Amino acid sequence: MGALDGRVACITGGTRGIGRATAEAFVREGAKVVINGRSEEKGAAALQEMGAGDSVHFIAGDVKKREDCEALIQGTVDKYGKIDILFANAGGASNHAPVAELTDEAMQDSLLWNFWHTFWCMRAALGHMIPQESGRIINMSSVEGKVGKPAISIYVAAKHAINGLTKSAAQEVGTLGITVNSVCPGAIETDIMAAEGPQAAEAMGMTYEGLLDVFAQESAIKRLNEVEDVAEVCVLLASDAGAGITGSMISIDGGSSPY
Ligand code: NAD
């Protein structure tokens, strides 16, 4: 018996990184999982690598677009008959700069990628979860959804906004058997970290290696976490055992953030 037997999950940005590790953990626990990404080719490769047969399905879509988010949730229901778990995981930010030098485009892109995508997917998923009076929503925030840092305000602001949306939605649907939480990892060496980290580090006046070391040193464990550390927390939040946890912003940062 798996902790998620019979459940249907949808994970935005699930072809690699934290989303992929979480998809694998959900399948291991008995769930059917829809993963998403922009590229059909990368989606097909991910499905092949996972080797989970009909337990995993890929739906292409760009989470920065509302119609793609809505089609992803509807596609999950069309494929597996319902949606029990949403992990709004995709996100990131590029073109970092101090607030005084920020472009509208950089801020808008980060809000679309992180905040609007989370809102669009949540709203669509709740449309199915509220009538069935059960559900689990897990939103991807970050340690930067809890603390301010210079030069990366586009990311800090978007992840804080996700935490606000999470807390309010949790209050709205708590009596309906639906939990809404966010996960707040510290730095993890994934593809997006390798792609966007160097520019973020430069904007913060340090090297990429220096940035990773700062993350490790400001934690209690003095090292970075791995994608599996986040995936296993998502399993708990998605399972029956997580029924009493809602409106929480769960830190998975080795003790870096103050709360
Ligand atoms: P990753 O690059 O390893 O994986 C990102 C996944 O999202 C991939 O499957 C990619 O194809 C998909 N994706 C990216 N943009 C997309 C878009 N516009 N539409 C659809 N799919 C898209 O990244 P990751 O490190 O696993 O990051 C996942 C989430 O975790 C992000 O929201 C990120 O902000 C957050 N996070 C990451 C870290 C870290 O240090 N890696 C720390 C805290 C929070």
Side-chain angles (χ1 to χ4, degrees), residues 160-177:
H160 273 73
I162 287 171
N163 282 343
L165 189 70
T166 300
K167 288 188 276 188
S168 276
Q171 295 296 324
E172 293 167 4
V173 296
T175 58
L176 297 174

Side-chain angles (χ1 to χ4, degrees), residues 17 186-194 208-209 212 224-227:
I188 298 174
E189 281 198 88
T190 58
D191 289 349
I192 203 164
M193 192 65 176
Y208 177 53
E209 291 69 27
L212 294 182
L224 303 184
N225 274 326
E226 309 278 344
V227 290

Side-chain angles (χ1 to χ4, degrees), residues 13 15-18 61-63 89 91 113 155 159 186 188 190 192:
T15 61
R16 58 179 204 226
I18 298 166
D62 181 350
V63 300
N89 161 71
W113 201 357
Y155 189 72
K159 294 300 192 185
I188 298 174
T190 58
I192 203 164

Side-chain angles (χ1 to χ4, degrees):
M1 276 276 289
L4 303 178
D5 276 342
R7 307 285 163 81
V8 174
C10 175
I11 300 179
T12 64
T15 61
R16 58 179 204 226
I18 298 166
R20 165 75 170 273
T22 304
E24 290 173 351
F26 282 4
V27 168
R28 183 198 71 211
E29 295 297 331
K32 305 272 193 221
V33 182
V34 169
I35 58 171
N36 144 270
R38 283 153 300 174
S39 152
E40 290 280 4
E41 203 182 335
K42 288 184 185 165
L47 290 183
Q48 196 170 28
E49 286 161 19
M50 290 172 77
D54 189 49
S55 291
V56 188
H57 179 65
F58 175 78
I59 297 178
D62 181 350
V63 300
K64 294 178 189 177
K65 297 177 180 159
R66 183 179 63 200
E67 59 271 26
D68 287 15
C69 290
E70 291 174 349
L72 174 63
I73 301 303
Q74 189 56 49
T76 302
V77 175
D78 292 345
K79 172 68 181 170
Y80 292 124
K82 59 176 181 167
I83 178 166
D84 299 304
I85 303 158
L86 166 67
F87 182 22
N89 161 71
S94 43
N95 299 315
H96 295 279
V99 173
E101 295 157 30
L102 261 179
T103 63
D104 287 5
E105 290 74 19
M107 180 62 84
Q108 176 71 347
D109 183 66
S110 178
L111 290 174
L112 283 169
W113 201 357
N114 298 284
F115 175 73
W116 280 97
H117 131 245
T118 301
F119 165 58
W120 287 325
C121 288
M122 278 179 73
R123 184 172 63 184
L126 284 168
H128 298 277
M129 292 174 179
I130 289 171
Q132 77 188 13
E133 297 203 2
S134 67
R136 296 281 188 268
I137 294 176
I138 305 166
N139 294 325
M140 175 55 83
S141 182
S142 167
V143 62
E144 277 115 15
K146 294 189 169 188
V147 297
K149 289 189 182 168
I152 57 167
S153 64
I154 52 175
Y155 189 72
V156 168
K159 294 300 192 185
H160 273 73
I162 287 171
N163 282 343
L165 189 70
T166 300
K167 288 188 276 188
S168 276
Q171 295 296 324
E172 293 167 4
V173 296
T175 58
L176 297 174
I178 302 168
T179 67
V180 189
N181 293 287
S182 69
V183 285
C184 303
I188 298 174
E189 281 198 88
T190 58
D191 289 349
I192 203 164
M193 192 65 176
E196 309 290 355
Q199 199 263 326
E202 193 185 338
M204 294 169 83
M206 58 183 92
T207 64
Y208 177 53
E209 291 69 27
L211 179 70
L212 294 182
D213 193 50
V214 165
F215 272 109
Q217 293 311 317
E218 71 187 11
S219 75
I221 59 177
K222 308 299 177 202
R223 60 170 174 79
L224 303 184
N225 274 326
E226 309 278 344
V227 290
E228 291 78 11
D229 296 307
V230 181
E232 297 306 327
V233 174
C234 291
V235 169
L236 170 67
L237 292 174
S239 71
D240 288 343
I245 307 170
T246 196
S248 291
M249 300 157 290
I250 312 281
S251 291
I252 312 160
D253 63 2
S256 303
S257 65
Y259 68 99

